[in-house]
Amino acid sequence: MASSGEEPRSGSPGRAGTGSEQSPTADPAQLDTAEDFEVLEEEEEEEEDLSELPPLEDVGRPKAPPREDAQSAEQGRREAAEDPQEWLDVLGSGLLKKKTLVPGQGVDTRPRKGQDVTIRLKATLEDGSVVEENPALTFTLGDCDVLQALDLCVQLLEMGETALIVSDAKYCYGAQGRSPDIPPNAALTLEVELLAARDAPDLELLSGKEKIELANRKRERGNFFYQQADYVLAINSYDIALKIISSSSKVDFSPDEEAELLDVKVKCLNNLAASQLKLDHYEAALKSCNLVLEHQPGNIKALFRKGKVLAQQGEYREAIPILKAALKLEPSNKTIHAELSKLVKKHTDQKNVETEMYRKMLGNPSTTGTPGKCKDKLPWSIPWKWLFGATAIALGGVALSVVIAARN
């Protein structure tokens, strides 16, 4: 089972690699209770996108003086720029480069995706600040449990190899950074040594506690990606967690463990629906909501999301009763009130448009060209050519029926 050892506290070593960290605006303590990340009690239509704004926390911040332990990192950056022949351009874009410092035991010893690997990690910023030191970080290779820079490069390491990795912010903490020590759009230099690699444990043999811990770790990684607005990777992590939960088992679980696994599953499905809705994957989000409601018909978050998905598809008639059901469960919820009012108005506008369209199709009652005797018999006028056309169609149908009968 993948494990990073003891959970790191805020500001402690191990955070850059474990994937359990949150963005500057996230409160880790609230993630378990607000697992869909859009708190219903807050009245907001669209989340403000701060990704393109200048990093305000950098304004007026003096640059830290270079440290002694930063010399190798700074030297690595210079060498990557000055002597590209010794560096492997991992993606061919120049944004992620690897250089071997200490050779390993051969290409045959490289780890494979799906294996649990253990590495020694040290990460530094461009100014030499050390933001990560972990003597034994363990994770599942290829599951996006850690920084993308590590996930992409560790599979290229040989056992015992020590390498220097220079990575653009895109494959680290991106535009949001990590408060308080990694600013937005910060490149990192990673010194990595591959210590061990072993096959991941058989899911069928995991105890209930082990399965719960593993699924929760994947779910928390999905939370991190969601907070980073990387919804594709968030979906990937939630899918992995759900596969772990749904895997068959040769071990008997206690009723409490079964209940806890179901709770984790519901959280993952709700988060999955939130991520799918962000990407406009409406059918997939609807399926995720329905799976939650199969287990918990009164799950307010699933009802709310299902109503939003149907509304996005223009199915106001179906969405309104679902939101009413959610509001009945939580009458004081302002966000559900606002969403329901908005949908009722849209549905009314939709019906008015349809009524006007039908009125135009059937004719305008105020048309002055309609013969007087027709006005007395009909509440609205019907163009004569429509009547003649309808009569011709009817007579044609009768004639066709006679021909068919004669042939039989």
Side-chain angles (χ1 to χ4, degrees):
M1 177 173 62
S3 171
S4 57
E6 182 179 353
E7 284 295 323
R9 302 176 188 175
S10 177
S12 65
R15 292 173 57 210
T18 62
S20 60
E21 68 281 355
Q22 302 303 324
S23 70
T25 58
D27 183 356
Q30 294 181 356
L31 288 179
D32 287 338
T33 56
E35 66 269 14
D36 61 352
F37 312 112
E38 292 183 5
V39 182
L40 300 182
E41 288 74 17
E42 295 181 0
E43 191 169 358
E44 58 180 14
E45 173 60 25
E46 294 291 341
E47 296 181 1
E48 186 179 3
D49 182 9
L50 302 178
S51 61
E52 299 301 325
L53 295 181
L56 299 180
E57 56 266 45
D58 286 346
V59 176
R61 178 190 292 176
K63 288 190 175 181
R67 303 179 185 179
E68 293 182 2
D69 57 8
Q71 292 179 356
S72 62
E74 185 61 33
Q75 181 181 358
R77 292 189 191 92
R78 288 198 303 267
E79 289 179 359
E82 297 173 1
D83 191 8
Q85 293 183 353
E86 295 187 21
W87 288 79
L88 172 65
D89 191 346
V90 177
L91 299 175
S93 62
L95 300 180
L96 184 63
K97 296 182 179 181
K98 168 190 170 290
K99 176 184 178 181
T100 298
L101 299 179
V102 178
Q105 300 172 13
V107 176
D108 293 341
T109 64
R110 287 180 177 177
R112 302 184 307 274
K113 287 185 178 180
Q115 286 189 314
D116 288 347
V117 297
T118 301
I119 63 171
R120 176 183 62 81
L121 173 68
K122 178 172 142 184
T124 58
L125 295 173
E126 291 181 345
D127 64 2
S129 303
V130 177
V131 292
E132 176 78 18
E133 280 192 286
N134 195 323
L137 171 64
T138 300
F139 59 94
T140 304
L141 190 60
D143 274 11
C144 300
D145 289 344
V146 290
L147 300 178
Q148 282 185 277
L150 289 174
D151 225 7
L152 293 168
C153 292
V154 168
Q155 58 188 294
L156 303 176
L157 297 181
E158 300 171 5
M159 190 59 59
E161 178 182 350
T162 299
L164 207 59
I165 299 168
V166 176
S167 174
D168 183 78
K170 179 178 180 180
Y171 304 106
C172 295
Y173 289 94
Q176 295 191 24
R178 185 188 74 185
S179 180
D181 52 354
I182 300 179
N185 299 309
L188 290 180
T189 296
L190 311 171
E191 185 178 313
V192 182
E193 179 185 0
L194 180 59
L195 303 175
R198 61 185 180 276
D199 291 338
D202 188 345
L203 294 179
E204 291 186 341
L205 301 179
L206 292 180
S207 67
K209 182 180 179 181
E210 289 172 330
K211 183 172 279 193
I212 290 167
E213 289 177 351
L214 182 57
N216 263 325
R217 210 159 31 244
K218 305 299 182 181
R219 178 181 64 84
E220 288 167 3
R221 188 59 181 170
N223 296 356
F224 167 75
F225 285 127
Y226 189 100
Q227 294 292 344
Q228 295 287 330
D230 196 335
Y231 305 117
V232 172
L233 289 182
I235 288 173
N236 177 71
S237 294
Y238 295 136
D239 277 337
I240 293 173
L242 289 168
K243 288 177 182 177
I244 293 169
I245 295 169
S246 302
S247 63
S248 60
S249 178
K250 296 179 180 178
V251 180
D252 292 331
F253 299 156
S254 69
D256 288 343
E257 289 172 337
E258 293 282 4
E260 194 169 352
L261 277 171
L262 178 59
D263 181 62
V264 177
K265 180 179 181 179
V266 166
K267 288 179 179 180
C268 287
L269 286 170
N270 262 329
N271 294 352
L272 185 61
S275 303
Q276 290 163 337
L277 188 56
K278 290 290 187 181
L279 297 175
D280 297 337
H281 296 171
Y282 299 131
E283 291 300 327
L286 191 61
K287 181 179 178 181
S288 298
C289 291
N290 285 334
L291 287 173
V292 173
L293 296 173
E294 285 180 11
H295 296 293
Q296 298 179 358
N299 189 291
I300 295 176
K301 292 169 184 176
L303 288 170
F304 179 74
R305 293 213 169 279
K306 183 175 181 179
K308 289 193 71 172
V309 170
L310 291 171
Q312 291 289 343
Q313 294 177 313
E315 302 291 344
Y316 304 126
R317 189 187 301 273
E318 295 181 33
I320 289 173
I322 293 173
L323 288 182
K324 285 182 177 180
L327 191 61
K328 187 175 180 181
L329 293 170
E330 197 169 313
S332 61
N333 193 300
K334 295 181 180 179
T335 301
I336 300 178
H337 270 290
E339 187 72 18
L340 184 57
S341 299
K342 181 177 67 175
L343 292 191
V344 168
K345 183 180 183 304
K346 287 184 177 181
H347 189 215
T348 301
D349 293 342
Q350 185 186 61
K351 288 194 295 185
N352 289 339
V353 170
E354 291 175 353
T355 300
E356 179 66 17
M357 180 180 67
Y358 294 146
R359 186 186 67 78
K360 290 181 178 180
M361 288 175 60
L362 296 175
N364 191 334
S366 61
T367 303
T368 57
T370 305
K373 59 181 180 180
C374 291
K375 286 184 178 181
D376 295 337
K377 296 180 180 180
L378 298 174
W380 55 72
S381 64
I382 299 178
W384 290 106
K385 60 182 180 180
W386 284 28
L387 290 176
F388 289 139
T391 303
I393 292 172
L395 291 175
V398 172
L400 181 60
S401 299
V402 171
V403 171
I404 294 173
R407 288 185 175 180
N408 293 335

